[in-house]
Amino acid sequence: QHWQPLFALGAPLLAICTIGSAVEFCWAAGEAVLVPYLSKHGVRQWVVSTIYLANPTLGLCIQPRLGAWSDRINSRVPFVIALSLIALMGIAALMSAIPLTRALGLSYARGEDDDERDASIISPMAIAMAFLGFGAADICFDCLLIPGRALLDDVAVPAGGSGQANALFTGFQMCGRLSALLVGSSSWTTSGLWGLFKDYTDAHLNACFTVCALFLMTSMLSVVLLVDDRGSTFTFNPSDSESETAEMNDVRSDESQTLQSTLLGQTISNYHSNLSRADSITSGQNKASENWTYKPDACSLLYAVQSVGWLGVCAQSFFWTSWRGEVVGCIDLALQAAIGMATVVFLPRANASCGAAFVWCSSELFFHLLMISVVLVPLGDEYTRSVTPRIIGALSGINYAVHATNALLVAADIVPDQTKRARTIAMVNNALPTGQLITALSGGAIAQYFGGFEYVFVCYGIIGALITSVVWAYSSRHNLFSTNNEVP
């Protein structure tokens, strides 16, 4: 019943959702192989970490402008094409950085003779090329969600299924993440795509990013071939307000005629009737205007909650496998994605029953409490220390699904003007680079100060729980977020 509005949308809806799965696949693959690749070739850790500073900083500047530009021209597909092509060029630059610089004789040499060169060390030129390539691709991955989600709303809102469509998009994201974790750890990629890259030093990286490129191209072509990019068909130009304005002019004309007729001895009752009618129309116009009023306080609070939510998610992406071990950590994150996919199935029903804002805030608070509970892991026996983190990692998938979906639904209620849809999505999406930036700046320092990556989760969990609780209480008191039980 809750998914029924999507049945008529068919292939175009599925094509749009492949954007989410492609982005999440590329995210997860990059997180899994990039740092080991650079470290393997002698790049220092502090240099590696700078890529997680530069990309979010640029993303904070680019995403709002991208959303505004998409709304201005009222089109999405050109941005999907452009961002996908730039990302593909970035992937190509990353994969060819070492072979190209070595072919040009730019490899770094420890000694004077060719025989004394260390093959594992790469030149500064290769490092710069790899950084620029991955940086461009990573920013495009983040930005692709803006035209992708906006295009989704352009298609789904007229059918009355925006909430369900966004949940489905998130489900495809979880599927992409799970696929990346499974493919990245399989013999299919570790062997270099059945030996295609067997003679390459970095066979695993080349295999993973080749699959990323194929996934991205397939998604882009699906959107181009199957989706009719008509832009937003819901504009803030309500015909009711125009008709009411015309009616107001008629009423005022009637008032003038009534006053004139009163001088001829007619009653004043018609004048009072028209005055009451005019007041009613004016009240209706004011109410309509209030319903479309931009609420900056609500947007700021939503951004704060979403940003601290991304702190925990980014901490898991950056540090979970280091804390748990590469193989075990990947299993935990794979379970997280699987639980996220299951959550998506029930999310529209939960939103319809409890309201999107309530589900979102309660899920964020639950996630932060999970992160705080990591501090209890060392207190148990060996079995508990092994199983408890896996349960925590798996249950965090519930919030991953809600986090990626409901903030957009709440934002759509705060800024319901469909002509500003991409800008609204960019505002919500900008919380991601904010979380990445804070995590990159503070995560390593916290782990070093307290003596372990688990304390990063605990600290971010405490901060997130406090901010989420305060914002939830304040927004409920002042009715800033939607309290409507219907999915926007």
Side-chain angles (χ1 to χ4, degrees):
Q1 179 182 359
H2 292 284
W3 293 95
Q4 190 171 1
L6 303 184
F7 294 163
L9 299 178
L13 176 66
L14 297 179
I16 296 169
C17 289
T18 60
I19 297 173
S21 57
V23 167
E24 199 73 37
F25 187 98
C26 294
W27 274 347
E31 292 165 1
V33 300
L34 181 67
V35 173
Y37 160 77
L38 294 174
S39 299
K40 170 186 173 182
H41 289 288
V43 181
R44 296 181 181 180
Q45 289 296 325
W46 70 268
V47 178
V48 174
S49 65
T50 57
I51 200 166
Y52 293 111
L53 294 175
N55 290 1
T57 303
L58 291 173
L60 285 170
C61 301
I62 294 172
Q63 293 192 35
R65 290 165 176 78
L66 180 68
W69 193 9
S70 178
D71 282 335
R72 189 175 298 116
I73 68 172
N74 198 24
S75 184
R76 323 298 184 193
V77 171
F79 294 94
V80 173
I81 296 172
L83 291 169
S84 298
L85 291 177
I86 294 172
L88 289 171
M89 288 188 287
I91 291 173
L94 171 63
M95 293 174 60
S96 61
I98 293 178
L100 182 60
T101 53
R102 284 183 175 168
L104 296 175
L106 299 175
S107 297
Y108 179 82
R110 288 184 181 274
E112 296 180 357
D113 300 328
D114 290 345
D115 294 338
E116 296 179 2
R117 290 183 176 181
D118 189 341
S120 67
I121 303 299
I122 60 177
S123 69
M125 184 68 71
I127 296 174
M129 188 174 175
F131 267 49
L132 288 174
F134 179 77
D138 192 47
I139 291 172
C140 289
F141 298 152
D142 294 352
C143 291
L144 267 170
L145 293 178
I146 298 172
R149 292 275 188 178
L151 187 59
L152 185 77
D153 266 20
D154 293 342
V155 172
V157 167
S162 176
Q164 297 90 326
N166 274 284
L168 182 64
F169 191 97
T170 301
F172 270 70
Q173 284 187 263
M174 297 296 98
C175 182
R177 186 172 186 81
L178 179 60
S179 300
L181 292 168
L182 295 177
V183 169
S185 60
S186 69
S187 59
W188 186 43
T189 54
T190 54
S191 63
L193 288 183
W194 296 300
L196 179 63
F197 297 104
K198 64 180 180 180
D199 295 329
Y200 287 74
T201 305
D202 305 294
H204 189 209
L205 176 130
N206 289 330
C208 287
F209 276 104
T210 299
V211 177
C212 288
L214 293 173
F215 208 151
L216 200 59
M217 283 191 292
T218 302
S219 172
M220 179 186 69
L221 292 175
S222 299
V223 170
V224 171
L225 296 175
L226 298 176
V227 180
D228 182 13
D229 183 21
R230 293 175 293 179
S232 174
T233 57
F234 280 64
T235 59
F236 180 53
N237 186 22
S239 58
D240 292 341
S241 295
E242 292 180 356
S243 63
E244 288 174 352
T245 302
E247 190 175 356
M248 274 285 293
N249 294 332
D250 293 340
V251 169
R252 286 167 181 161
S253 177
D254 290 344
E255 289 175 11
S256 177
Q257 294 175 6
T258 301
L259 288 173
Q260 292 176 8
S261 64
T262 302
L263 296 176
L264 298 175
Q266 294 185 1
T267 64
I268 200 74
S269 60
N270 288 338
Y271 170 74
H272 289 298
S273 175
N274 285 332
L275 182 62
S276 175
R277 183 171 157 217
D279 290 341
S280 176
I281 293 172
T282 303
S283 175
Q285 287 179 323
N286 290 338
K287 184 176 180 181
S289 177
E290 289 173 1
N291 289 339
W292 290 85
T293 299
Y294 175 70
K295 297 182 281 187
D297 290 344
C299 288
S300 299
L301 294 175
L302 181 147
Y303 186 82
V305 172
Q306 192 72 354
S307 295
V308 294
W310 276 118
L311 279 181
V313 175
C314 291
Q316 281 188 302
S317 299
F318 294 170
F319 307 126
W320 193 269
T321 53
S322 298
W323 175 51
R324 291 276 286 152
E326 186 174 351
V327 176
V328 177
C330 283
I331 295 174
D332 294 351
L333 296 180
L335 289 174
Q336 178 195 57
I339 295 297
M341 291 173 63
T343 302
V344 164
V345 177
F346 302 99
L347 189 55
R349 184 181 183 89
N351 288 338
S353 300
C354 305
F358 177 85
V359 173
W360 174 56
C361 290
S362 58
S363 174
E364 294 286 353
L365 187 58
F366 171 68
F367 172 66
H368 295 309
L369 294 176
L370 281 177
M371 293 296 98
I372 295 173
S373 68
V374 169
V375 75
L376 303 176
V377 171
L379 304 179
D381 55 23
E382 183 177 354
Y383 178 77
T384 303
R385 290 195 298 271
S386 174
V387 174
T388 303
R390 179 154 298 172
I391 295 174
I392 293 172
L395 291 178
S396 66
I398 297 174
N399 182 66
Y400 205 131
V402 178
H403 176 84
T405 305
N406 278 34
L408 294 164
L409 303 183
V410 175
D413 181 74
I414 296 171
V415 189
D417 187 352
Q418 286 294 320
T419 63
K420 298 179 180 178
R421 191 62 183 129
R423 273 172 281 193
T424 305
I425 293 171
M427 180 268 294
V428 177
N429 207 53
N430 231 19
L432 168 58
T434 301
Q436 290 176 327
L437 194 60
I438 296 173
T439 304
L441 287 171
S442 62
I446 292 172
Q448 184 173 353
Y449 182 81
F450 289 102
F453 287 117
E454 62 270 27
Y455 296 102
V456 179
F457 310 132
V458 175
C459 290
Y460 288 166
I462 293 172
I463 294 170
L466 289 174
I467 292 177
T468 302
S469 300
V470 171
V471 169
W472 193 4
Y474 180 83
S475 63
S476 298
R477 180 176 181 182
H478 295 275
N479 198 26
L480 294 177
F481 298 154
S482 174
T483 56
N484 186 3
N485 285 345
E486 294 296 325
V487 179

